[in-house]
Structures are given as C-alpha cells and as structure tokens.
Amino acid sequence: MILLLTLISTACGNFLGKVNTVETDYLRVFLFPHSHDDVGWVRTMMEYYKDSHGVKQIISSYMEQLIHDKSKHFSQVEIAFFSIWWNEQNDTMKEKVKELVKNEQLEFLSGGWCMNDEATSYYEDIIDQMTLGHKFLLQHFNYIPSVGWQVDPFGHSNTQALFSNMMGFNAWFFGRIDQEDRSIREKRKELEFVIHPDCDPGHSILTHVNYYGYYSSPRGFDFDVTNPNRQQVTDSNLQSKTEELARYFKQQQNSYKGKILAHTLGMDFQWSDAASYFGQMDRVMNKVNSDTEKYKMVIQYGTPKQYIQALYEQNITYPSQKEDFFPYADYPNQYWAGYFTSRSAFKGYVRRIGRYFQQVKLFYSFIKINNQCKSLCDDKNLKDLAEALGTAQHHDAITGTAKQYVNNDYIKMIKSAYQNMNKQISSLLNILSNTKSVAHSTCNFNGSNVCHSLHDPLIKNQTVILTVIDAKVNNDGIKEYLKILVPDNLYIKATDEKGTLLNGEILCVNEQCTLYIPRIVDNSKLIHYYKLQTVASQENTNIVKIEPETITVDKDTKLFDKFKLNYNFYASSSGAYVFRPDGQSRPYGNYVKAYKFTGSLVKQYYIEKSQIKAWVTAFDDDENIFYVDSFVDSVNMSDYRGKEVVLQVLTDINNNKVFYTDSNGLTLQRRQVNHRDSWQMTVLEPVSGNYFPVNGAIMIQNEDGNQACAVLNDRAQGGTSLSNGVLELMLQRRLSNDDNKGVFERLDEQEEVDNKKVGMRQMMSHTIAFYNPKSESNILRQLQYQQDLKPLIYFSTQDQIEYSKLENKFENFIEKQSDYNLCKFYIEPWLTENQYLVRVHNLREEGIQKLKFPSGLQFKETTLTGNQELKTWEQNRYKWTDTYTDEKSQESYEEDQVGPMKIRTWIVTI
C-alpha cells in the first residue's frame, strides 16, 4: 500500500495531512468546517451579525486562520451575511480573501442570498434569491458555486433538486429527512443517492444526506467556545479522544458506499474563535494521521466540492429517488406540516410583493432600455427589494417559524423597500406622462373597505386615473376583470383611453362595495389607463349595482350546482413547526346569513359565518371556474386551545385516495393517503402525515383521468385530500403551545382593532377549477398565469393623462401561439450598463413555445442564475451512475424553442 501525504508544518509544530492523492484501501474522511448562520430566527438578522460571537466575528475569525494556514478550509453559505462583512473590509483584506477563494481554501456553498425554504417558497422567489447571491459572487470573485447546501430546511422539494441542477451544481447536501426514511437508508447504505426531479436524465443530481445532527460536528467533537459542554483535548485524554473519533467514522462508514466519507464540523453560529476550534481538532487529526496503519484512515479538512470530486472518481452506482421529501418528521408523532401555513398573513404578503417584483423589474428595465430614466434610473431600490425578498425566503422566515419580533423585522425590511420602489415607479410614471408631483398609489384590500387614494377623490367628485401595468405576453383579446373596492352610495362611471364607457357591476355587502370591470388585454403596450368618475345618476354610466337576494346556506348547500364549501377547524396541540391535531376537523363557526347576486357579468354567493366571511364568484356564466375570497376573522382562544382553520371543497369526484400538489408552483407531485413510494410508512398521524405543502395548486381527478378539480391558492398553505372527492387547505393557525423545536414561542399572531388586541385577521383567495385533464391540459397553468401576472394598478388624482409608449425590443421574441399563450418573460439589469438577464418560462403542461431572436441584440444562453454559459456547464457536469430505469431519452429542443414547463436564461447585451 502506498500513502501519499503532504505534511504541512505550522507555527506550533503540529502537522496535518492534506491528501493530494490516496492510493490505498484506507478510509478517507473529509471534514467541512462551516457555520450555519440563520438570517433571522430567534434574533433578527443584524443582531445575529453584530453579537459578540456573531457572524461578523465568525467570518473574521476563520479568515484569519485560513490566511495563516493553507491547510485550513472553510465553507461559507449565506451571502446576505457575507456581503455585509465584505463591504466593511479594506482593499488589502479583500485581496487576501480573493486569494483564499482562488486556491480553494474558501468555498461558497449554494451561494444564495440565504438558505431558502423548500416547502413554502415560490419558484420565482427561489430563482431570484439564488440569482442575487450568484450575481454578488460573480461580480466580486468571478466565482461559480458547484455544490448545493440545503442542510436545515424541513423537507426537500423536487423543484429545488431541479433548480440545483439548472444552476450548475454537481451535487447537493441536506440534513433533514423523515426519521423512518433515514433509519432505512442508514441500514441500506443509501444516504447518498441520485434524485430525478423529472423525466429528463440531464436534470438528475447526486444527493448527500449528512450523517449526524443534520449538520453538526461528530458527536463529542464540538469544540466551539460557545458550547458549554465541549470537551477540551488534553495530553491525558488525547489517546481516548483519538480512539473515539476513529470508532465514530468506522460506524459512519456503515451508512455510505465506498471508501470516502464526509462530515460537517460546526453548528449554528459557531467558529467565532476559529483558532481554538482548529487547534483542538488538529491534535486529534494529527494523532490519527500519524498512525494510519493502526486506524486505517486519513482525515483532512476540505470542502464539499473537493469531496464530490473524490466521490465522482470512485465510479459507484447509486440508488435513485423520484419522490420528494414531504412531510418531514423528526419523531414518529411529529410531522412538520404546520409551518406550511404558519403566519399566513406574512406568507401572503411575501407572495404578493414577489409577484409585484417580477413586473416591476420588467417595467424598470424597459424604462432604462428606452433611455427614459433622466436622473431616476438608480438600481438601488430594485436591489434593496431583491435583498428584502431574498431574506424572506430563509427557512425560518417564509416558513413562519421565527419569533414574532423577528418576523416584524422581516416585514419592516420588505415594507421599506417596497415603499421606496413604489415612489420610484410613481416618479417614472410622471416622466412617461410628462406630469409633475402627481402621486401614483397602490392599494391592498385585506378585508378593509377603505382605500384612501381611491375613495377620497371619488367622494370629492374628483377624477381618478387607474394606471395599469400589464406584463403578460401575447394575451391580446383575453378578457380579465379589474376588481376594486369603491365607496357605497355613489354612481361611478369608467372609461378607457378612448373615452369609451365601460360596463361594470357593483356588489355591496355590509356597506363594503366591490366594483368589477371587464377589460380586454392589449399587450401591444405595457401601460394602460382608465378613468373613474362619479356621476349624477345611473343614466350617465354603464356600471350598475346588483341587488342581493337573501338565501339560506348550510354545509350541504351545493354552490352553482357544482361543489360544497365548508370551513372547519382542528383543535390541536400543534406548534409553529408541527401540525398535531386532536382528531378530525369539525365545523367552524355558525351560519349567520347568505346572499346571492345575479348580474349579467358577475354571479356571486356571499356567505357569512360567525368567524368567516366568504365571497364565491363566477364570471360570464362560466360553469367551471370559481373564485373564493375568504375573510378569516380573529380565531377565538378563550378556551386556551389551539385552533387550525381549514377550507374544504367537496366534489363528486372519485379520486380513490390519490391527489396532487405542486412543487413550489411547478410540477404536480402525486400523493396517496398513508403511502410513500420510497418506504413502507407507519401510520401514526393519519391527518398530519398526509399533509403536503401547496404553493400553487392542489388537485384531484377520477381514475379515468377525464374529470378533475383543482384549487389554486394565493400563498403557501398545507393541504390534503383525506376523504373521497374532498380538497382541504389550511387557512389560519392560532396556537396555545410551543412545539419545542427551538423558537420557544407559541404562534399567536395579534393585531390591534379598535384599541384592542385580537388574533390576526386575514383575507385570502382561492380559485376552484373543474376540467378534463385529457382535453384541457393547460387550464390549471392558464389560471396560474393570470394570477401571477395580475396587472399592477396605480391610482392618481388627475383629470387627464397620456403615457409615452415604451419601445419593446423583445416584442416579437416570444411568438404568438395559435391558442392561449402561457409564456412568462423576465428581464432585469445585469452586471454592466447594457446587459440584462432575460428568462423565458413556458408554463404549458403541453406545447412548445417558439422564439424569434431579435436582430441587433446579443444573446448568450446561461444556467438558471446567469453565472456561466450553459454549454460550458453541460460539457463539464458530472454524470452520475444510478439505478433509475424510467427515464426517457434526454429531451432535445431547437435553439428557438422552449419545451413545456421549461425555463431558459440568457445574458442579453443591448
């Protein structure tokens, strides 16, 4: 046997084996020094950064050691923290850090702004936060991450696996999988496997599940100064600690294939004294490496990239996996399915601002391309909003599992960035309309009947301009409805840009009036406007008020002769993370009253219960698409019992215990009650064990596949189908217990109403669709497209307005389909003045999207986050061997095509 070691002397006379080549049967162990740094959880992001043992000290400390000793390595993850530290450094330190990156002592894992959640983040938001981090690394280090690091999210999605591949990762690591699944995998040596998130073999990715404590140091070897139970290595215990570590890795070897192991070295907010940590670990490692004949192993510091390179050279055949990893349970009765819904108001807020952000990026980019900025084209507001939204994707932020004051901090960050962005948009609208100092305001209707920027001028008989920014593509001629809350007891007329009177209907309940105006989409330009004015009588307007009919409704009433709508609740002993109901759900609240509205445009049921108000609406006599707005009032906690409110849609569809939920808004995942494809599950929690994350839609269909019902939501929620023909989504949680998962605070969100603290109230929306999946394969995506690209509406008080038309250099880029277009177009400023990051997403389940590249623009196709050429990644990517047999041949599309559900990315120079 030949063992080639490079022995590095240090100032203290110690040595470590840095393994360049190992030609031996010895076990080779890579240790990954790292710190898991949450961008907020039980403390705010900046508190974590500035603490005496906080992230600022951690980065500074490990940097000092890496500069001092070239045998040391460290892995940095969250760019949100690193960017703050970087901006505080002088040029000398920056050059030293660049050298550490260059010689691979410092590795950036994942490289996202944060470590995003995988259950409750929408796919667009995941892409954005990863792009933000990758852009920073490209800009400052010309660095391209090659390994994903999702070690703490509470379950894992196929979309995250797909994106990891599309971002150019050769492998990814995670820590949390179901305790039952983990136990089986350890026995079978299957803690490393290849995930196939779709049928394309080019999208598979190697997955490594960490061995102990999700991402901890080996048991007994946590030497961090913040660990009160750390065991110092001394002369008297050095031998026993060495034996202990060797035994540990021999035991770990029983759970992995091959002769190479990896293990994390660190934990939450550790390594603030890197010299001490390295010093303790060095002594034990030196002892092992100095007697390889005895221990039959070599231990070295390294990075996941180095480990994956070594692993690839083993040429092992790995097991395969197609199923995702939800819901996650760390103990038999504790399914982490509550956080799918926790802090529903925050989840709704993040989703709404995220959708706004996509359209604002496009609007701002078009303004820049058209040289219409004057002095207002400052990317700072766009960057601030990107950072605030990126931080919100963190796995203790969007999940609703941070302390209340930390969650308030997230909201403050987003709100501030959003308000500044809106001020800039208002100024840009003034430039385009050649007006000065006119305020263009937005309104969010959350059960309130007042929008002052709309109500006040109408009451004063002033004209209100509705400016509509519409980023849809090739949807010309499609009808959609503007929905606006207006004052009661006014006659209102609406006109379009040509002065044509528009039809509309007003429906009023409890002095809250909603105006519905149909508009025909015109994508020949980005900006449109309408006028709202008060008039003297009904004769002067085509907007009519529809009077209600009082009806009787109960849980067995079939609405529109199509479905029943029930609101139930679970009494529970749940916490912010865990959903643990005490039995089955039961009816929530008592029926108070109900109305039916029958207009020529709008048909609506209004149902009021003691704690719920619901508006169920259909447009244009459509018998298959229905829109449900639910106002969930304060959840009563006077009995000191936790309650979790759910919406149930009851249909006649026989789905035989099978249902489907989306993956972060993308591909539908097949679910079956009390079943996992990967193992024979033990059913201990028949409700929560069958709850799954729903970011876009939940669907059931009959066994013939020709009848289906889907419910689309406006934010992340937990969902299931426990009974035949029933779709269930959780709306709100107010809890009396903490589940002892680390936040140590019960989930009891409150707001102030009439100078009194009450439980958080919230308005939320769902769309119910009945369709034939065989003949209407794209209907679900059509509704998702309309929801994601709902026009931005700005209100301003002025009599007249005229907007300059913005030239669209990409006008014919996405060719118009013969039927409904479902293509999303994304654009944002990139690294240099004339560079833009462009994406096209074909949202169709079936059908190829044709492209026509505009002349005069330079397109370079890249990976998902724009940090490397796609052809370079495809040539260099690792192709793992595994047991998967179901894949089709690799999907191939022409250069001018985007396949169904595919996303393509380019850097475009204008």
Side-chain angles (χ1 to χ4, degrees):
M1 297 180 185
I2 301 173
L3 179 66
L4 302 177
L5 294 176
T6 302
L7 303 181
I8 309 295
S9 297
T10 70
C12 298
N14 295 331
F15 65 86
L16 287 173
K18 182 180 179 182
V19 181
N20 294 328
T21 308
V22 177
E23 299 175 12
T24 175
D25 288 333
Y26 292 167
L27 182 64
R28 185 179 177 189
V29 182
F30 286 82
L31 286 180
F32 304 151
H34 81 108
S35 179
H36 180 70
D37 301 332
D38 294 304
V39 291
W41 181 31
V42 297
R43 306 200 72 188
T44 68
M45 175 179 166
M46 290 310 297
E47 286 174 339
Y48 276 139
Y49 181 74
K50 295 178 180 179
D51 281 350
S52 58
H53 291 286
V55 179
K56 180 176 182 176
Q57 172 60 24
I58 289 167
I59 298 176
S60 296
S61 182
Y62 78 66
M63 285 295 184
E64 181 181 345
Q65 292 305 302
L66 266 58
I67 292 167
H68 175 69
D69 184 350
K70 292 188 182 301
S71 74
K72 301 298 191 288
H73 293 77
F74 206 90
S75 295
Q76 175 67 40
V77 183
E78 297 83 3
I79 302 303
F81 281 131
F82 187 82
S83 65
I84 298 171
W85 182 87
W86 174 260
N87 291 329
E88 294 173 349
Q89 305 309 303
N90 60 34
D91 290 342
T92 301
M93 176 56 82
K94 287 182 178 180
E95 288 305 314
K96 290 180 179 179
V97 175
K98 287 179 181 179
E99 189 63 27
L100 295 175
V101 173
K102 184 178 178 181
N103 66 24
E104 298 189 354
Q105 283 180 261
L106 176 60
E107 178 174 355
F108 293 99
L109 297 176
S110 282
W113 194 248
C114 70
M115 188 185 298
N116 65 266
D117 179 55
E118 299 184 39
T120 59
S121 287
Y122 200 54
Y123 78 96
E124 293 173 332
D125 299 327
I126 294 173
I127 294 172
D128 278 350
Q129 79 88 13
M130 292 301 299
T131 300
L132 183 63
H134 286 189
K135 185 178 181 181
F136 175 90
L137 293 176
L138 193 64
Q139 196 167 17
H140 295 285
F141 301 100
N142 195 29
Y143 183 89
I144 300 169
S146 63
V147 176
W149 191 257
Q150 291 288 113
V151 296
D152 199 27
F154 327 127
H156 302 280
S157 76
N158 276 348
T159 291
Q160 190 77 36
L162 174 65
F163 284 177
S164 295
N165 171 286
M166 292 175 68
M167 289 184 289
F169 296 167
N170 281 310
W172 67 324
F173 288 67
F174 48 69
R176 296 182 186 272
I177 61 174
D178 187 279
Q179 49 86 30
E180 204 170 14
D181 187 14
R182 174 182 281 275
S183 177
I184 293 169
R185 288 184 181 279
E186 286 180 350
K187 293 172 184 174
R188 295 177 178 173
K189 291 195 170 189
E190 293 185 353
L191 286 176
E192 289 177 330
F193 49 90
V194 176
I195 287 184
H196 293 258
D198 60 19
C199 294
D200 189 335
H203 289 158
S204 61
I205 185 168
L206 182 80
T207 305
H208 173 101
V209 182
N210 288 336
Y211 180 64
Y212 169 69
Y214 313 125
Y215 46 84
S216 307
S217 299
R219 188 185 296 106
F221 292 85
D222 180 349
F223 297 124
D224 194 76
V225 293
T226 62
N227 177 15
N229 300 314
R230 67 186 183 279
Q231 300 173 343
Q232 296 282 358
V233 179
T234 63
D235 291 342
S236 61
N237 70 4
L238 176 58
Q239 186 61 43
S240 64
K241 292 297 287 184
T242 304
E243 302 286 344
E244 181 185 349
L245 187 63
R247 285 195 303 272
Y248 182 94
F249 288 132
K250 289 290 187 183
Q251 180 65 35
Q252 181 184 347
Q253 191 178 13
N254 295 328
S255 298
Y256 295 86
K257 298 178 183 290
K259 292 283 188 178
I260 304 174
L261 291 182
H263 206 292
T264 47
L265 192 66
M267 195 52 187
D268 292 3
F269 301 101
Q270 290 196 345
W271 289 88
S272 60
D273 186 346
S276 169
Y277 210 133
F278 276 126
Q280 290 285 296
M281 201 69 211
D282 285 354
R283 296 193 68 184
V284 184
M285 290 171 61
N286 289 341
K287 189 74 172 172
V288 172
N289 291 341
S290 65
D291 196 351
T292 52
E293 284 299 318
K294 175 181 179 180
Y295 296 110
K296 307 297 183 186
M297 69 177 65
V298 177
I299 307 173
Q300 66 181 98
Y301 297 118
T303 65
K305 180 181 179 180
Q306 294 168 343
Y307 170 70
I308 293 302
Q309 287 172 337
L311 214 59
Y312 191 60
E313 293 168 4
Q314 288 189 125
N315 196 26
I316 288 175
T317 298
Y318 291 96
S320 61
Q321 173 84 8
K322 196 170 182 181
E323 187 179 34
D324 66 9
F325 293 85
F326 294 114
Y328 158 70
D330 56 348
Y331 294 97
N333 291 90
Q334 298 187 24
Y335 283 96
W336 295 38
Y339 81 93
F340 300 160
T341 307
S342 293
R343 300 197 189 278
S344 65
F346 182 63
K347 284 179 166 66
Y349 184 56
V350 172
R351 179 68 58 83
R352 179 170 65 85
I353 305 301
R355 286 171 173 150
Y356 160 90
F357 187 48
Q358 305 309 324
Q359 301 202 56
V360 162
K361 284 189 292 184
L362 184 144
F363 174 73
Y364 180 79
S365 297
F366 278 21
I367 291 279
K368 285 192 74 171
I369 292 169
N370 279 264
N371 296 314
Q372 293 285 338
C373 295
K374 298 188 177 178
S375 61
L376 292 172
C377 267
D378 179 1
D379 293 356
K380 183 182 184 303
N381 290 329
L382 212 60
K383 183 173 180 287
D384 288 348
L385 187 52
E387 291 179 2
L389 283 170
T391 303
Q393 306 313 313
H394 166 56
H395 58 271
D396 273 308
I398 188 64
T399 52
T401 54
K403 282 190 179 295
Q404 182 65 59
Y405 91 96
V406 177
N407 197 73
N408 294 344
D409 190 59
Y410 292 135
I411 294 171
K412 182 181 177 181
M413 277 192 282
I414 297 172
K415 184 178 179 181
S416 174
Y418 172 66
Q419 288 176 337
N420 289 334
M421 190 75 243
N422 259 343
K423 288 176 184 176
Q424 188 175 13
I425 296 298
S426 180
S427 298
L428 292 171
L429 289 173
N430 283 334
I431 288 176
L432 290 175
S433 59
N434 198 27
T435 55
K436 294 181 179 179
S437 304
V438 173
H440 298 262
S441 306
T442 59
C443 281
N444 177 44
F445 305 115
N446 182 32
S448 167
N449 59 355
V450 175
C451 171
H452 291 290
S453 58
L454 173 63
H455 282 223
D456 294 354
L458 286 178
I459 291 171
K460 296 174 183 177
N461 201 27
Q462 295 174 310
T463 301
V464 176
I465 300 292
L466 271 66
T467 297
V468 173
I469 299 175
D470 187 359
K472 290 189 285 293
V473 179
N474 292 336
N475 272 222
D476 305 81
I478 301 295
K479 182 194 283 188
E480 65 182 11
Y481 278 82
L482 300 178
K483 176 185 171 187
I484 306 162
L485 292 189
V486 295
D488 195 7
N489 298 320
L490 290 179
Y491 294 107
I492 298 172
K493 79 169 182 178
T495 54
D496 64 14
E497 297 170 17
K498 298 177 182 178
T500 304
L501 277 177
L502 299 177
N503 296 330
E505 292 178 346
I506 296 176
L507 283 59
C508 298
V509 175
N510 302 334
E511 298 182 346
Q512 179 173 305
C513 297
T514 306
L515 167 62
Y516 297 91
I517 301 175
R519 80 180 273 268
I520 303 301
V521 174
D522 173 13
N523 291 140
S524 66
K525 56 183 182 178
L526 182 63
I527 305 173
H528 302 266
Y529 70 88
Y530 303 89
K531 288 183 183 179
L532 288 185
Q533 297 169 298
T534 53
V535 292
S537 68
Q538 182 64 60
E539 295 175 356
N540 304 113
T541 178
N542 288 350
I543 295 174
V544 297
K545 185 176 181 180
I546 307 301
E547 296 300 328
E549 170 193 352
T550 301
I551 60 171
T552 300
V553 169
D554 60 25
K555 66 182 180 64
D556 295 318
T557 301
K558 210 167 194 180
L559 303 177
F560 296 100
D561 294 321
K562 205 78 176 184
F563 62 94
K564 301 172 186 176
L565 186 70
N566 289 344
Y567 293 90
N568 283 16
F569 80 100
Y570 293 96
S572 77
S573 52
S574 305
Y577 297 88
V578 173
F579 174 34
R580 197 168 185 186
D582 300 338
Q584 299 299 311
S585 67
R586 61 195 83 167
Y588 184 63
N590 301 313
Y591 287 91
V592 177
K593 60 184 176 183
Y595 299 132
K596 183 179 180 181
F597 296 87
T598 308
S600 59
L601 302 173
V602 182
K603 310 288 189 297
Q604 186 177 91
Y605 288 93
Y606 170 76
I607 302 166
E608 186 172 326
K609 300 184 74 175
S610 52
Q611 292 170 296
I612 294 278
K613 296 174 184 175
W615 295 258
V616 187
T617 309
F619 296 106
D620 302 316
D621 297 318
D622 193 322
E623 298 178 350
N624 293 307
I625 310 295
F626 308 95
Y627 301 87
V628 180
D629 294 309
S630 305
F631 180 70
V632 183
D633 211 334
S634 175
V635 176
N636 191 316
M637 292 276 285
S638 59
D639 58 357
Y640 303 103
R641 294 295 307 278
K643 296 181 181 66
E644 303 177 75
V645 182
V646 299
L647 173 148
Q648 293 180 338
V649 177
L650 291 76
T651 74
D652 297 327
I653 293 173
N654 179 15
N655 60 303
N656 195 26
K657 296 186 177 180
V658 173
F659 60 103
Y660 299 81
T661 63
D662 70 279
S663 178
N664 305 105
L666 294 182
T667 310
L668 292 175
Q669 312 289 302
R670 185 182 185 273
R671 314 296 190 186
Q672 185 174 340
V673 175
N674 296 334
H675 172 82
R676 300 289 187 271
D677 290 344
S678 304
W679 80 94
Q680 184 71 39
M681 72 176 291
T682 304
V683 182
L684 296 174
E685 292 289 336
V687 178
S688 58
N690 291 297
Y691 247 72
F692 294 87
V694 181
N695 262 279
I698 181 171
M699 184 268 280
I700 55 174
Q701 62 183 17
N702 64 3
E703 293 184 76
D704 294 333
N706 58 9
Q707 287 184 321
C709 177
V711 180
L712 290 84
N713 54 4
D714 68 345
R715 69 199 67 195
Q717 295 169 323
T720 189
S721 177
L722 296 173
S723 302
N724 207 36
V726 179
L727 289 160
E728 176 175 305
L729 286 166
M730 187 178 290
L731 304 182
Q732 184 65 296
R733 317 179 76 217
R734 193 178 182 194
L735 307 175
S736 56
N737 295 316
D738 173 58
D739 49 21
N740 296 311
K741 301 303 179 186
V743 73
F744 301 122
E745 181 179 278
R746 64 190 177 97
L747 185 65
D748 183 14
E749 292 185 282
Q750 298 181 11
E751 63 176 316
E752 194 170 285
V753 178
D754 298 329
N755 298 317
K756 180 183 177 183
K757 287 279 189 180
V758 299
M760 180 74 76
R761 306 169 306 159
Q762 188 65 194
M763 177 78 82
M764 51 198 76
S765 300
H766 297 84
T767 304
I768 301 172
F770 291 87
Y771 63 104
N772 183 339
K774 291 182 177 179
S775 60
E776 301 173 287
S777 59
N778 289 321
I779 190 69
L780 200 58
R781 300 303 174 183
Q782 180 179 326
L783 293 167
Q784 180 183 1
Y785 186 87
Q786 291 172 344
Q787 182 167 272
D788 285 354
L789 290 168
K790 191 176 293 183
L792 304 181
I793 300 177
Y794 287 85
F795 303 103
S796 60
T797 305
Q798 49 188 324
D799 294 328
Q800 298 290 337
I801 200 167
E802 193 68 41
Y803 286 108
S804 303
K805 185 175 179 180
L806 294 171
E807 180 190 1
N808 181 1
K809 291 186 179 293
F810 300 88
E811 186 172 8
N812 299 313
F813 178 38
I814 298 171
E815 292 193 0
K816 190 171 178 62
Q817 303 292 119
S818 58
D819 58 353
Y820 203 100
N821 180 81
L822 295 177
C823 213
K824 290 183 176 182
F825 176 74
Y826 304 91
I827 184 170
E828 62 185 86
W830 200 235
L831 295 179
T832 64
E833 185 63 28
N834 295 320
Q835 275 190 342
Y836 293 85
L837 181 70
V838 169
R839 291 192 190 92
V840 171
H841 180 195
N842 180 7
L843 201 55
R844 291 167 167 268
E845 295 278 354
E846 294 182 3
I848 292 172
Q849 175 64 55
K850 289 275 289 180
L851 303 176
K852 184 178 181 181
F853 291 93
S855 60
L857 306 183
Q858 296 177 3
F859 283 76
K860 181 178 73 175
E861 188 161 11
T862 69
T863 49
L864 185 63
T865 55
N867 64 354
Q868 62 179 310
E869 285 197 60
L870 182 62
K871 62 183 180 182
T872 303
W873 153 244
E874 289 177 339
Q875 289 168 359
N876 297 331
R877 70 177 289 258
Y878 291 172
K879 299 172 180 64
W880 302 94
T881 304
D882 69 291
T883 59
Y884 192 60
T885 58
D886 294 339
E887 29 182 60
K888 305 172 184 175
S889 60
Q890 186 158 347
E891 297 171 336
S892 179
Y893 299 99
E894 300 297 326
E895 190 172 325
D896 64 347
Q897 294 178 332
V898 185
M901 297 296 291
K902 303 298 182 186
I903 303 171
R904 290 180 64 185
T905 308
W906 299 265
I907 302 300
V908 179
T909 303
I910 299 177

